[in-house]
């Protein structure tokens, strides 16, 4: 007995396989970034000062200190379990921390007077597993937060969303649902959704680790364009080719500590710590 295709959420048409979707148009010309208001001169976009965090009695971050200047691209790398993702999630308070302070564009994250929803609306976040709403169309995924958080009208939010879908090569997929897209397409939608909020910072938590190898390049291409457009970025990744091409600095973490914080050429050319040397010797040989 043959099975009947399930209807798409909220519709009556069968869900098409990603392979049957119209082809991508490719990255379109024009900036992905809408310039945010100018940050005060000499003030880093992100300042991380002495951050420590525990899960119960287990310490996952130990006295982490660094900063990211406006327009800078910083790659955070290290072995699994080193605290990379935890650190980046502390930047917009998705993970609480016990000691230290983080400041984003002049706003202190750990401050009783800080409006965290407002802060998060200015800090774009792209996760490993896309986190799109499966029951909403692609364009609805891009307009929901614009309308609910920023108060944009439906027309303005829709125009912003469709402009960004065009820029990441997905105009033809605006009215589909996430399950009808490939993993690489969904991650590009997730990037476009974050950009729709006009963030001052973009955080990426291993954005390609859940993708098939053939889909990694299409996501990295968008991230390279973002960097060229001047977006401030912190990127947790094992994609060392991307780091070599785009990063200004590399932060290497191990056992919850920042072991190295160096210019890209210094890190890849002559890492100071034996731990970083060992890490690079393993990851760069593949």
């Amino acid at each position: 007995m043959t099975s009947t295709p399930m209807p798409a959420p909220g519709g009556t048409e069968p869900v098409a396989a990603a392979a049957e979707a119209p082809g991508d148009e490719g990255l379109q010309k024009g900036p992905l970034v809408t310039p945010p208001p100018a940050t005060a001169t000499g003030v880093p976009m992100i300042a991380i000062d002495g951050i420590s965090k525990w899960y119960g009695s287990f310490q996952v971050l130990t006295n982490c200190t660094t900063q990211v200047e406006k327009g800078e691209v910083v790659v955070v790398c290290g072995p699994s379990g080193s605290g990379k993702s935890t650190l980046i999630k502390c930047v917009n308070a998705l993970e609480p921390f016990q000691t230290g302070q983080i400041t984003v564009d002049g706003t202190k994250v750990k401050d009783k007077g800080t409006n965290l929803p407002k802060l998060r609306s200015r800090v774009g976040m792209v996760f490993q597993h896309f986190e799109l709403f499966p029951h909403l169309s692609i364009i609805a995924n891009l307009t929901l937060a614009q309308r609910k958080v920023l108060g944009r009208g439906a027309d303005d939010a829709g125009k912003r969303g469709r402009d960004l879908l065009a820029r990441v090569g997905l105009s033809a997929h605006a009215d589909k649902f996430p399950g009808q897209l490939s993993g690489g397409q969904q991650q590009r939608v997730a990037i476009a959704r974050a950009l729709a909020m006009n963030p001052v910072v973009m955080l990426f938590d291993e954005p390609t680790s859940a993708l098939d190898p053939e889909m990694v390049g299409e996501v990295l291409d968008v991230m390279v364009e973002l960097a060229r457009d001047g977006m401030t970025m912190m990127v947790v990744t094992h994609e060392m080719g991307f780091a070599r091409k785009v990063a200004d600095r590399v932060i290497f973490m191990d056992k919850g500590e920042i072991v190295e914080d160096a210019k890209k050429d210094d890190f890849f050319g002559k890492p100071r710590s034996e731990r970083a040397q060992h890490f690079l010797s393993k990851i760069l040989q593949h």
Side-chain angles (χ1 to χ4, degrees), residues 22-26 28 138 162 164-175 181 184-190 192 218:
D24 294 350
E25 300 86 355
Q28 304 298 302
I138 298 305
R162 291 183 185 275
L164 284 166
L165 282 179
R167 281 291 290 114
V168 299
L170 295 174
S171 289
H173 305 271
D175 297 318
L181 273 59
Q185 290 170 333
Q186 289 187 63
Q187 193 61 294
R188 281 186 281 157
V189 170
E218 65 191 58

Side-chain angles (χ1 to χ4, degrees), residues 140-206:
N141 265 280
L142 266 68
T143 57
L144 181 63
Q146 293 187 68
R147 294 185 292 106
K148 298 296 185 181
V149 178
L150 300 183
R152 286 181 182 156
D155 290 345
D156 289 342
K159 183 180 185 306
R160 175 70 175 153
R162 291 183 185 275
D163 285 349
L164 284 166
L165 282 179
R167 281 291 290 114
V168 299
L170 295 174
S171 289
H173 305 271
D175 297 318
K176 295 187 175 182
F177 292 84
Q180 295 174 277
L181 273 59
S182 70
Q185 290 170 333
Q186 289 187 63
Q187 193 61 294
R188 281 186 281 157
V189 170
I191 294 173
R193 179 179 62 178
L195 291 173
M197 303 295 285
N198 301 112
V200 296
V201 172
M202 285 285 285
L203 307 177
F204 294 84
D205 185 15
E206 301 197 39

Side-chain angles (χ1 to χ4, degrees), residues 52-62 80-83 86 96 98 254-257:
S52 292
K53 174 178 173 59
W54 288 261
Y55 289 125
S57 60
F58 179 67
Q59 188 165 5
V60 291
L61 295 175
T62 303
S80 297
S82 60
T86 302
Q98 283 74 39
D254 188 32
K255 298 178 181 178
E257 298 184 40

Side-chain angles (χ1 to χ4, degrees), residues 90-188:
C90 286
V91 172
N92 61 353
L94 288 180
E95 288 280 1
F97 49 92
Q98 283 74 39
T99 64
Q101 183 60 275
I102 296 177
T103 305
V104 179
D105 197 24
T107 299
K108 293 181 178 179
V109 173
K110 192 179 180 182
D111 189 298
K112 290 182 179 180
T114 295
N115 184 329
L116 288 180
K118 182 177 180 180
L119 172 68
R120 290 177 183 135
S121 74
R122 305 183 72 229
V123 180
M125 185 85 189
V126 178
F127 298 91
Q128 179 178 351
H129 294 291
F130 325 137
E131 306 297 341
L132 299 174
F133 293 112
H135 64 293
L136 296 180
S137 68
I138 298 305
I139 191 61
N141 265 280
L142 266 68
T143 57
L144 181 63
Q146 293 187 68
R147 294 185 292 106
K148 298 296 185 181
V149 178
L150 300 183
R152 286 181 182 156
D155 290 345
D156 289 342
K159 183 180 185 306
R160 175 70 175 153
R162 291 183 185 275
D163 285 349
L164 284 166
L165 282 179
R167 281 291 290 114
V168 299
L170 295 174
S171 289
H173 305 271
D175 297 318
K176 295 187 175 182
F177 292 84
Q180 295 174 277
L181 273 59
S182 70
Q185 290 170 333
Q186 289 187 63
Q187 193 61 294
R188 281 186 281 157

